[in-house]
Amino acid sequence: MGSGYRERGGGRRSGRGGGPRGRRPGGSHRRRSGRPRPDLSPTQVRVNDYSTGWLSRGFPWVYRDEVDGGAEHRQAGDVVEIVGADGRSRGTGIWAEDGRVAVRRFRADPGPVDDALVAARVAAARARRPLPPDTTAWRWVHGENDDLPGIRVDAWGTELSVALDSPSLECLLPGLRDALRRLHADATAIWLVARPDPRDAEDRPGRILWGEPAEDGVEVTEHGLRFRVRPGRSHDVGLYCDMRDLRAWLRPYLAGRRVLNLFAHTGAFSVHAAAHGAGEVVTVDLSSRYLARARDNFRLNGLDPESHRFVAADSLAALDRLRRKGERFDLVIADPPSFSHGPRGEWSVTADLGKLVAACCRVLAPGGWLLVASNHGGLSPRDFGRLVQQGALKAGRPLRLLHEGSTPVDFPAALSFPESRYLKCWVLEG
Ligand SMILES: C[S@@+](CC[C@H](N)C(=O)[O-])C[C@H]1O[C@@H](n2cnc3c(N)ncnc32)[C@H](O)[C@@H]1O
């Protein structure tokens, strides 16, 4: 226990919001006659043996089916004391009505969950992030890994965005907003990102918690390169900061290389490649909207998009065409989404990664490099490796692992929360 994944939970369905906060849970431990377990005070919930074990190892969630008493009359946002199966306190958390996580634990003692606690955690999260110079897009609060379970805060230059995994956490927003404002003197706006709703075809825009956002998004830097992002308007801001270290790692090896960037989104890898001397960069994405943003990002960095190629296509279809035309690349980058829907039907990383790796191998120049990554939490590192190897075997192309990438310093991973080690990324030579 503690080394593998726990079942992934944290549902995102909406529920009742608001509720009391800043209260210190606690109360008497009356014994029911004839029963060995103590009764619960109105602010306590009891959890079963299994959850007690996980909580004592630092895991911050109680799943709904692990609650063994005290669930009655609870409201989303209630601060509750968690009582283990042995009757001992296991800390304090916030009750949720939505999803499978019933309690997110904010502290391991029976103290309050209030503005002061949130402010201290936000300041500690800032202090543990020695960010690279010339980088203004970064994750400030990484949920469970910064002891603020269910809460993510991203800094996008002067705009900040807050995302909550459950409406039960909205009770913490005023304290969070004030702490962020105090610590980021240059902030001009703070967004609350809308929770994804599977019933909505399109992302809903977030709401402004404070300040005045710029009309057309903001410009941010990553290792000195410039990107235009649009925080708050949808889930897709336009830059995946968790790949920043990978992009930086590649920089010394790009000069003169022919680079193929698949699933390229707004072209962050392509901009890095072109800016560091790659000969030609071919940028492929299903969405012509993202490719237009990729071209804009090239221009923003003084790079001429006309000297490179942008292809609006399904990545597997593009790989087929490139192979038939005999095109070969020194570096192929494949960072696909977990799931997507395209002209070739459904893409699923667990079903299709092997096929993708095989197709990438077939356009790889001799001695070329393949960067393959997945952020799918449901795909274990072991299965990722197995699928990559299957693809290489299928293509008859032996590959060697040169580098295993990981998330940057602003995406810390608490050892007690294995769910946070989601990124698998290999740079292979073959
Ligand atoms: C997770 S993002 C990639 C992030 C990117 N590698 C980066 O770090 O900047 C996934 C991208 O894949 C694109 N996409 C999804 N399915 C695709 C497909 N079948 N072929 C090509 N692109 C696809 C989406 O439009 C989206 O831009």
Side-chain angles (χ1 to χ4, degrees):
M1 187 153 78
S3 60
Y5 289 90
R6 275 208 76 178
E7 199 180 350
R8 284 175 76 78
R12 291 164 186 267
R13 279 173 282 128
S14 62
R16 284 179 288 143
R21 69 192 165 100
R23 287 189 281 111
R24 178 186 290 272
S28 63
H29 288 252
R30 286 178 289 111
R31 282 182 182 277
R32 270 187 213 150
S33 55
R35 295 191 62 182
R37 292 189 305 190
D39 255 349
L40 298 169
S41 81
T43 57
Q44 291 177 322
V45 290
R46 185 169 44 232
V47 300
N48 67 14
D49 266 333
Y50 189 66
S51 172
T52 305
W54 277 93
L55 289 166
S56 58
R57 287 164 180 80
F59 189 71
W61 294 348
V62 175
Y63 287 107
R64 206 163 298 286
D65 57 6
E66 295 170 347
V67 176
D68 200 16
E72 318 77 33
H73 316 302
R74 282 277 160 254
Q75 291 214 345
D78 280 356
V79 175
V80 292
E81 182 183 358
I82 306 163
V83 177
D86 54 3
R88 285 174 43 211
S89 176
R90 289 296 192 283
T92 313
I94 291 190
W95 181 265
E97 288 286 297
D98 58 305
R100 299 172 63 198
V101 180
V103 186
R104 289 177 176 81
R105 183 173 67 168
F106 278 72
R107 54 193 301 162
D109 61 24
V113 178
D114 56 12
D115 292 352
L117 180 94
V118 170
R121 299 272 165 93
V122 169
R126 181 66 192 89
R128 72 170 66 95
R129 283 164 165 72
L131 292 164
D134 298 336
T135 293
T136 62
W138 50 283
R139 176 148 294 182
W140 185 335
V141 172
H142 195 37
E144 288 68 10
N145 308 287
D146 283 309
D147 303 320
L148 286 167
I151 301 174
R152 269 157 289 121
V153 179
D154 290 304
W156 304 104
T158 56
E159 295 191 11
L160 306 176
S161 64
V162 175
L164 302 179
D165 284 347
S166 161
S168 61
L169 301 167
E170 284 181 14
C171 56
L172 301 176
L173 280 176
L176 180 61
R177 177 201 59 205
D178 293 347
L180 293 170
R181 280 188 61 190
R182 269 198 306 277
L183 290 163
H184 195 317
D186 300 336
T188 53
I190 305 177
W191 290 88
L192 175 64
V193 176
R195 268 188 302 280
D197 187 332
R199 290 166 303 187
D200 289 347
E202 290 285 316
D203 271 355
R204 280 171 301 130
R207 79 178 146 94
I208 298 160
L209 290 177
W210 172 82
E212 281 203 23
E215 218 158 82
D216 194 28
V218 281
E219 196 185 299
V220 296
T221 53
E222 181 182 279
H223 291 295
L225 293 173
R226 298 157 71 184
F227 298 91
R228 180 150 285 278
V229 296
R230 298 188 181 123
R233 283 83 174 165
S234 78
H235 285 97
D236 193 357
V237 177
L239 186 65
Y240 287 96
C241 298
D242 57 355
M243 298 300 271
R244 186 196 310 123
D245 280 3
L246 263 306
R247 291 190 275 266
W249 187 87
L250 285 173
R251 282 185 300 181
Y253 310 110
L254 292 163
R257 300 298 166 115
R258 213 162 171 251
V259 177
L260 174 62
N261 183 14
L262 303 161
F263 306 95
H265 194 232
T266 57
F269 273 104
S270 302
V271 167
H272 273 262
H276 289 91
E280 189 192 17
V281 184
V282 179
T283 301
V284 178
D285 199 280
L286 259 188
S287 155
S288 30
R289 213 159 35 93
Y290 288 147
L291 290 177
R293 289 178 72 179
R295 282 194 192 89
D296 289 345
N297 283 331
F298 268 64
R299 288 186 203 99
L300 207 51
N301 290 283
L303 301 164
D304 180 6
E306 302 313 319
S307 311
H308 301 274
R309 269 153 68 194
F310 296 82
V311 181
D314 172 85
S315 288
L316 284 167
L319 283 164
D320 253 5
R321 277 198 297 274
L322 292 164
R323 177 186 55 80
R324 278 191 269 111
K325 287 203 287 183
E327 296 209 36
R328 297 293 177 267
F329 296 88
D330 304 306
L331 171 64
V332 177
I333 298 164
D335 171 27
S338 307
F339 308 99
S340 81
H341 185 75
R344 283 197 162 191
E346 301 290 325
W347 157 270
S348 144
V349 73
T350 45
D352 300 321
L353 188 65
K355 201 184 336 171
L356 174 66
V357 168
C360 290
C361 286
R362 295 187 183 113
V363 299
L364 207 57
W369 288 9
L370 169 63
L371 183 159
V372 57
S374 171
N375 67 358
H376 183 36
L379 179 65
S380 70
R382 196 187 165 139
D383 286 342
F384 173 79
R386 187 177 50 75
L387 292 171
V388 172
Q389 199 183 357
Q390 275 173 8
L393 284 172
K394 193 168 163 199
R397 191 81 182 250
L399 297 176
R400 269 167 292 277
L401 182 60
L402 292 185
H403 176 69
E404 192 163 359
S406 66
T407 47
V409 71
D410 41 327
F411 290 78
L415 293 187
S416 53
F417 192 64
E419 278 79 355
S420 53
R421 295 197 291 277
Y422 60 88
L423 186 66
K424 282 79 51 187
C425 179
W426 284 3
V427 182
L428 303 137
E429 186 243 12

